[in-house]
Every structure is written in C-alpha cells, then in structure tokens.
Amino acid sequence: MRHTFLFQEGLWLADGSYFDETNRSFPFTGRTEVTHSENLWFLNGRMEILAEKTISIENNYMITPFREGSDMTSWESENPALGILRGRFYLVDDSILSTCVSGSGAYAGTEFLLKKGESNYLNRGVFTDGTRRLSSWVVELKKAT
C-alpha cells in the first residue's frame, strides 16, 4: 500500500469530533501541512475545538523520514501544554499507526490513520495520563487541492 499522507508534501484539512475527558463531543476543524527537507519531514498543524470557548491546539512534528524498506520511523513534537512528545509511526497495510509518550512519561497517545483514497484518510485517536482518557477524536482528513 502506497501512502500519501506524510509521504507527499501538501496541505490536509481536518473535520470531525473531539471528545473531552467526560466524553462530551465538540466539533473539530484543522489543517496540517506536510513539508520535506533532505533529512527531516515536518508536519505542522493547527486544530480548533469549537467548545463554549474555541480552543486552538498547535502541533509541530519533526519526523525522521522512513528508510527504504522500513515500516517504522520516529518523530518528536513540542506541544505548548504537554511539553516534548516522542513517538513512532508504523505502516500497517492501509493504515498508519502512531504512538507517543511525553518527555516526563506522564502522558501517552495512540492514533491511527486509515487510507480511504489518494487524498482521504480517517483518523482516530486517544490521549491519556496513564490512568484515564484525557481526550479522543474522530476526524476525516482530506488533501486540499
């Protein structure tokens, strides 16, 4: 399976639902831009949770490019609220799986992206503090044309 998300530069638009720690649902929108340099890939995203007060979240990933023939790579992100997150991307057929842990070890996350077409992925994820779910999401990503 040849993936387009992460592997091709471009802008991806996100739309879906965000769930807080009490499982309340809020509309979610965002945009993620993927760019490549020779030694790093960058994923820069901004998401907005449309709650009583709009909450904006920025994530800027530095990704080690997948080596030829490898189905795993590492990434690092600095989140203003959580600090440094370190994770891995895994390729599993039509899906990209991601796991991460915060630098302090207090937080962890898991998400997957299911390829539905050349410019369309479904994304599901959860973020925890080790003993409870802090947030989760159900999102569709579409590549901007």
Side-chain angles (χ1 to χ4, degrees):
M1 169 75 52
R2 184 149 175 90
H3 284 280
T4 50
F5 186 71
L6 297 180
F7 289 84
Q8 293 179 7
E9 292 186 308
L11 178 64
W12 293 78
L13 303 177
D15 188 44
S17 296
Y18 170 90
F19 302 92
D20 70 9
E21 67 278 355
T22 65
N23 210 30
R24 287 184 303 163
S25 175
F26 300 98
F28 173 101
T29 62
R31 56 189 292 128
T32 297
E33 185 171 11
V34 177
T35 57
H36 295 167
S37 74
E38 187 173 327
N39 298 317
L40 282 176
W41 294 351
F42 301 93
L43 189 148
N44 298 313
R46 180 177 177 84
M47 295 143 278
E48 293 192 341
I49 300 162
L50 308 172
E52 294 86 19
K53 180 181 177 195
T54 298
I55 301 166
S56 295
I57 301 170
E58 287 193 35
N59 283 307
N60 298 306
Y61 291 66
M62 293 180 299
I63 303 163
T64 301
F66 284 85
R67 289 190 315 262
E68 186 69 36
S70 178
D71 62 358
M72 185 211 38
T73 195
S74 60
W75 59 265
E76 187 173 291
S77 174
E78 187 165 350
N79 182 295
L82 304 171
I84 301 251
L85 300 174
R86 290 183 181 87
R88 296 197 182 278
F89 285 118
Y90 302 89
L91 303 178
V92 182
D93 191 46
D94 60 355
S95 299
I96 301 171
L97 307 178
S98 180
T99 60
C100 72
V101 66
S102 65
S104 68
Y107 304 104
T110 302
E111 69 179 316
F112 81 92
L113 295 113
L114 175 66
K115 185 177 182 182
K116 299 303 287 182
E118 289 300 304
S119 59
N120 180 256
Y121 280 79
L122 299 179
N123 176 245
R124 308 292 189 257
V126 64
F127 204 74
T128 69
D129 71 356
T131 60
R132 66 187 171 96
R133 180 179 58 100
L134 298 175
S135 63
S136 56
W137 54 93
V138 173
V139 175
E140 183 170 6
L141 289 170
K142 293 183 180 177
K143 192 167 187 183
T145 54

